[in-house]
Amino acid sequence: MIYFHSKMMIGKYEHCTAIVCEKNLTNNVHCTCFYLFSQLYILPFAVDDEYIIIGSANINQRSMDGSRDSEIAMGAYQPYHLATQQPARGQVHGFRLSLWYEHLGMLHDSFLKPESEECITKVNQVADKYWDLYSSESLERDLPGHLLRYPIGVASEGDVTQLPGFEFFPDTKARILGAKADYLPPILTT
């Protein structure tokens, strides 16, 4: 028999996302702690709309080690919609545009050329607008999209600062630039 728990854990299981407990023939119960993490990356691999990767793999030791996290990804392309003489306009292209519509809340002609400076400028303008709406005192309805500017500035020398007037994220006491700690809990590194 298997028991699955995903609510608040206590005791030695307090850091678990889920516990699977099995009862053997002698009625002894053995529980195993699991750390469940769900993510979905939908990323056009190149700006030419030829290839798409959908998956959860991260390029780090934890993901690539093979003994800790289980990762999965799927790649796809359409050989009859490659950008050889004209821009690719297959389902990979359509999927990217629908994903951008979901996150930006709009379509714009510049999105047809995601590599263009005009497109990059437009996406940044929309992200800035949505951050301004999100961080305003008078947010009265849902945002039209999901893409927000991360509230930092990066100087040409590489110095990172929070935006003026934003030491914390709105409605929280979470520092935008974080805080230095002398100790990093093992739960964050293993």
PDB file of all heavy atoms in Angstrom, residues 1-5 19-23 30 34:
ATOM      1  N   MET A   1       0.838  -1.174   0.000  1.00  0.00           N
ATOM      2  CA  MET A   1       0.000   0.000   0.000  1.00  0.00           C
ATOM      3  C   MET A   1       0.892   1.249   0.000  1.00  0.00           C
ATOM      4  O   MET A   1       1.883   1.304   0.703  1.00  0.00           O
ATOM      5  CB  MET A   1      -0.876  -0.026   1.247  1.00  0.00           C
ATOM      6  CG  MET A   1      -2.058   0.864   1.196  1.00  0.00           C
ATOM      7  SD  MET A   1      -3.104   0.504   2.622  1.00  0.00           S
ATOM      8  CE  MET A   1      -4.602   0.253   1.779  1.00  0.00           C
ATOM      9  N   ILE A   2       0.532   2.243  -0.783  1.00  0.00           N
ATOM     10  CA  ILE A   2       1.324   3.464  -0.874  1.00  0.00           C
ATOM     11  C   ILE A   2       0.480   4.640  -0.405  1.00  0.00           C
ATOM     12  O   ILE A   2      -0.670   4.784  -0.780  1.00  0.00           O
ATOM     13  CB  ILE A   2       1.783   3.700  -2.326  1.00  0.00           C
ATOM     14  CG1 ILE A   2       2.694   2.548  -2.753  1.00  0.00           C
ATOM     15  CG2 ILE A   2       2.480   5.039  -2.468  1.00  0.00           C
ATOM     16  CD1 ILE A   2       3.121   2.631  -4.193  1.00  0.00           C
ATOM     17  N   TYR A   3       1.075   5.448   0.447  1.00  0.00           N
ATOM     18  CA  TYR A   3       0.428   6.656   0.931  1.00  0.00           C
ATOM     19  C   TYR A   3       1.179   7.849   0.358  1.00  0.00           C
ATOM     20  O   TYR A   3       2.399   7.886   0.397  1.00  0.00           O
ATOM     21  CB  TYR A   3       0.457   6.722   2.456  1.00  0.00           C
ATOM     22  CG  TYR A   3      -0.166   5.537   3.120  1.00  0.00           C
ATOM     23  CD1 TYR A   3       0.612   4.439   3.498  1.00  0.00           C
ATOM     24  CD2 TYR A   3      -1.529   5.488   3.335  1.00  0.00           C
ATOM     25  CE1 TYR A   3       0.044   3.341   4.088  1.00  0.00           C
ATOM     26  CE2 TYR A   3      -2.113   4.390   3.928  1.00  0.00           C
ATOM     27  CZ  TYR A   3      -1.325   3.318   4.307  1.00  0.00           C
ATOM     28  OH  TYR A   3      -1.895   2.226   4.895  1.00  0.00           O
ATOM     29  N   PHE A   4       0.463   8.807  -0.141  1.00  0.00           N
ATOM     30  CA  PHE A   4       1.107   9.984  -0.714  1.00  0.00           C
ATOM     31  C   PHE A   4       0.624  11.203   0.046  1.00  0.00           C
ATOM     32  O   PHE A   4      -0.566  11.423   0.180  1.00  0.00           O
ATOM     33  CB  PHE A   4       0.733  10.111  -2.194  1.00  0.00           C
ATOM     34  CG  PHE A   4       1.327  11.303  -2.868  1.00  0.00           C
ATOM     35  CD1 PHE A   4       2.656  11.303  -3.237  1.00  0.00           C
ATOM     36  CD2 PHE A   4       0.564  12.420  -3.133  1.00  0.00           C
ATOM     37  CE1 PHE A   4       3.218  12.386  -3.863  1.00  0.00           C
ATOM     38  CE2 PHE A   4       1.115  13.512  -3.755  1.00  0.00           C
ATOM     39  CZ  PHE A   4       2.439  13.501  -4.127  1.00  0.00           C
ATOM     40  N   HIS A   5       1.550  11.974   0.564  1.00  0.00           N
ATOM     41  CA  HIS A   5       1.215  13.190   1.309  1.00  0.00           C
ATOM     42  C   HIS A   5       1.891  14.368   0.631  1.00  0.00           C
ATOM     43  O   HIS A   5       3.051  14.285   0.279  1.00  0.00           O
ATOM     44  CB  HIS A   5       1.728  13.104   2.749  1.00  0.00           C
ATOM     45  CG  HIS A   5       1.262  11.885   3.463  1.00  0.00           C
ATOM     46  ND1 HIS A   5       0.044  11.812   4.055  1.00  0.00           N
ATOM     47  CD2 HIS A   5       1.854  10.675   3.641  1.00  0.00           C
ATOM     48  CE1 HIS A   5      -0.095  10.610   4.612  1.00  0.00           C
ATOM     49  NE2 HIS A   5       0.993   9.906   4.364  1.00  0.00           N
ATOM     50  N   ILE A  19       5.752  12.735   0.446  1.00  0.00           N
ATOM     51  CA  ILE A  19       6.259  11.519   1.086  1.00  0.00           C
ATOM     52  C   ILE A  19       5.482  10.344   0.521  1.00  0.00           C
ATOM     53  O   ILE A  19       4.267  10.388   0.409  1.00  0.00           O
ATOM     54  CB  ILE A  19       6.052  11.539   2.619  1.00  0.00           C
ATOM     55  CG1 ILE A  19       6.731  12.749   3.241  1.00  0.00           C
ATOM     56  CG2 ILE A  19       6.575  10.269   3.247  1.00  0.00           C
ATOM     57  CD1 ILE A  19       6.407  12.915   4.703  1.00  0.00           C
ATOM     58  N   VAL A  20       6.206   9.318   0.147  1.00  0.00           N
ATOM     59  CA  VAL A  20       5.560   8.067  -0.257  1.00  0.00           C
ATOM     60  C   VAL A  20       5.910   7.038   0.812  1.00  0.00           C
ATOM     61  O   VAL A  20       7.077   6.797   1.107  1.00  0.00           O
ATOM     62  CB  VAL A  20       6.044   7.599  -1.643  1.00  0.00           C
ATOM     63  CG1 VAL A  20       5.471   6.227  -1.961  1.00  0.00           C
ATOM     64  CG2 VAL A  20       5.639   8.602  -2.704  1.00  0.00           C
ATOM     65  N   CYS A  21       4.874   6.474   1.425  1.00  0.00           N
ATOM     66  CA  CYS A  21       5.061   5.472   2.473  1.00  0.00           C
ATOM     67  C   CYS A  21       4.525   4.133   1.983  1.00  0.00           C
ATOM     68  O   CYS A  21       3.439   4.064   1.424  1.00  0.00           O
ATOM     69  CB  CYS A  21       4.335   5.886   3.751  1.00  0.00           C
ATOM     70  SG  CYS A  21       4.921   7.435   4.458  1.00  0.00           S
ATOM     71  N   GLU A  22       5.304   3.089   2.221  1.00  0.00           N
ATOM     72  CA  GLU A  22       4.901   1.750   1.817  1.00  0.00           C
ATOM     73  C   GLU A  22       4.818   0.872   3.054  1.00  0.00           C
ATOM     74  O   GLU A  22       5.693   0.907   3.924  1.00  0.00           O
ATOM     75  CB  GLU A  22       5.918   1.153   0.843  1.00  0.00           C
ATOM     76  CG  GLU A  22       6.067   1.950  -0.433  1.00  0.00           C
ATOM     77  CD  GLU A  22       7.173   1.401  -1.293  1.00  0.00           C
ATOM     78  OE1 GLU A  22       8.313   1.846  -1.094  1.00  0.00           O
ATOM     79  OE2 GLU A  22       6.883   0.540  -2.130  1.00  0.00           O
ATOM     80  N   LYS A  23       3.764   0.082   3.141  1.00  0.00           N
ATOM     81  CA  LYS A  23       3.603  -0.859   4.249  1.00  0.00           C
ATOM     82  C   LYS A  23       3.960  -2.240   3.732  1.00  0.00           C
ATOM     83  O   LYS A  23       3.382  -2.715   2.758  1.00  0.00           O
ATOM     84  CB  LYS A  23       2.172  -0.833   4.766  1.00  0.00           C
ATOM     85  CG  LYS A  23       1.982  -1.568   6.070  1.00  0.00           C
ATOM     86  CD  LYS A  23       0.528  -1.568   6.500  1.00  0.00           C
ATOM     87  CE  LYS A  23       0.161  -0.221   7.065  1.00  0.00           C
ATOM     88  NZ  LYS A  23      -1.191  -0.224   7.662  1.00  0.00           N
ATOM     89  N   HIS A  30       7.639   2.094   5.727  1.00  0.00           N
ATOM     90  CA  HIS A  30       8.868   2.771   5.316  1.00  0.00           C
ATOM     91  C   HIS A  30       8.473   3.973   4.464  1.00  0.00           C
ATOM     92  O   HIS A  30       7.750   3.833   3.484  1.00  0.00           O
ATOM     93  CB  HIS A  30       9.762   1.829   4.510  1.00  0.00           C
ATOM     94  CG  HIS A  30      10.953   2.529   3.924  1.00  0.00           C
ATOM     95  ND1 HIS A  30      12.010   2.941   4.701  1.00  0.00           N
ATOM     96  CD2 HIS A  30      11.224   2.914   2.656  1.00  0.00           C
ATOM     97  CE1 HIS A  30      12.895   3.537   3.933  1.00  0.00           C
ATOM     98  NE2 HIS A  30      12.436   3.529   2.682  1.00  0.00           N
ATOM     99  N   PHE A  34      10.451  12.937  -0.937  1.00  0.00           N
ATOM    100  CA  PHE A  34      10.639  13.377  -2.310  1.00  0.00           C
ATOM    101  C   PHE A  34      10.607  14.879  -2.371  1.00  0.00           C
ATOM    102  O   PHE A  34       9.873  15.530  -1.644  1.00  0.00           O
ATOM    103  CB  PHE A  34       9.534  12.819  -3.223  1.00  0.00           C
ATOM    104  CG  PHE A  34       9.681  11.371  -3.522  1.00  0.00           C
ATOM    105  CD1 PHE A  34       9.062  10.421  -2.725  1.00  0.00           C
ATOM    106  CD2 PHE A  34      10.438  10.951  -4.592  1.00  0.00           C
ATOM    107  CE1 PHE A  34       9.204   9.076  -2.992  1.00  0.00           C
ATOM    108  CE2 PHE A  34      10.577   9.596  -4.866  1.00  0.00           C
ATOM    109  CZ  PHE A  34       9.960   8.660  -4.063  1.00  0.00           C
TER     110      PHE A  34
END
